[in-house]
Amino acid sequence: MALFRHELGDVLRDARRSQGRTLRQVSSDARVSLGYLSEIERGQKEASSELLVSVTDALGLPLSFVLREVSDRIAVAEGVSVPDTVPDELSDAAGPLVGAR
C-alpha cells in the first residue's frame, strides 16, 4: 500500500537532490527545522499544507507539480492508469465538481 507521506517525501527528496541542494539549505530557505524536513523526506511525519507550500517555494516548484508527481506515483503503485487530460465528464462543460465554487 502506497502512503501519501512516503511518496511525498520521496518526491521532495528527489527534487532537492536534483537541484544539488542539501537538507540544510532547503530547510533554511523554507524556514523549517532541518530535523523536521528530514522526517518529512523519510515519510515519518505528515506535512501540513502551510509547511508543504514553504518547502515547495524553497525548491522553486509549484505545489501543483509536487502533488501531481505524488499522485502519479501512487497511481502506479495502485496499478491505475491516470490520463494526462481531464475526462469530458469532469471538464468545465459538465458543470462544477461537487463542492466547487
Side-chain angles (χ1 to χ4, degrees):
M1 170 175 59
L3 291 178
F4 180 82
R5 71 174 186 264
H6 291 160
E7 298 302 328
L8 175 63
D10 288 346
V11 169
L12 293 175
R13 184 183 320 104
D14 291 349
R16 177 181 59 77
R17 287 179 174 170
S18 74
Q19 294 177 7
R21 297 177 66 197
T22 65
L23 264 173
R24 186 173 308 281
Q25 290 168 326
V26 175
S27 70
S28 176
D29 290 347
R31 298 182 185 260
V32 174
S33 78
L34 183 128
Y36 196 65
L37 182 56
S38 175
E39 288 178 316
I40 289 169
E41 281 194 2
R42 288 181 282 136
Q44 295 178 335
K45 294 286 185 185
E46 296 279 353
S48 70
S49 57
E50 292 86 359
L51 182 131
L52 186 53
V53 168
S54 293
V55 173
T56 57
D57 284 350
L59 290 169
L61 298 172
L63 176 61
S64 59
F65 173 84
V66 171
L67 293 177
R68 174 66 187 259
E69 183 66 23
V70 171
S71 177
D72 288 350
R73 289 178 182 214
I74 291 173
V76 167
E78 294 174 337
V80 175
S81 175
V82 179
D84 284 337
T85 59
V86 176
D88 289 338
E89 61 271 14
L90 296 179
S91 71
D92 288 338
L97 298 175
V98 175
R101 297 179 195 195

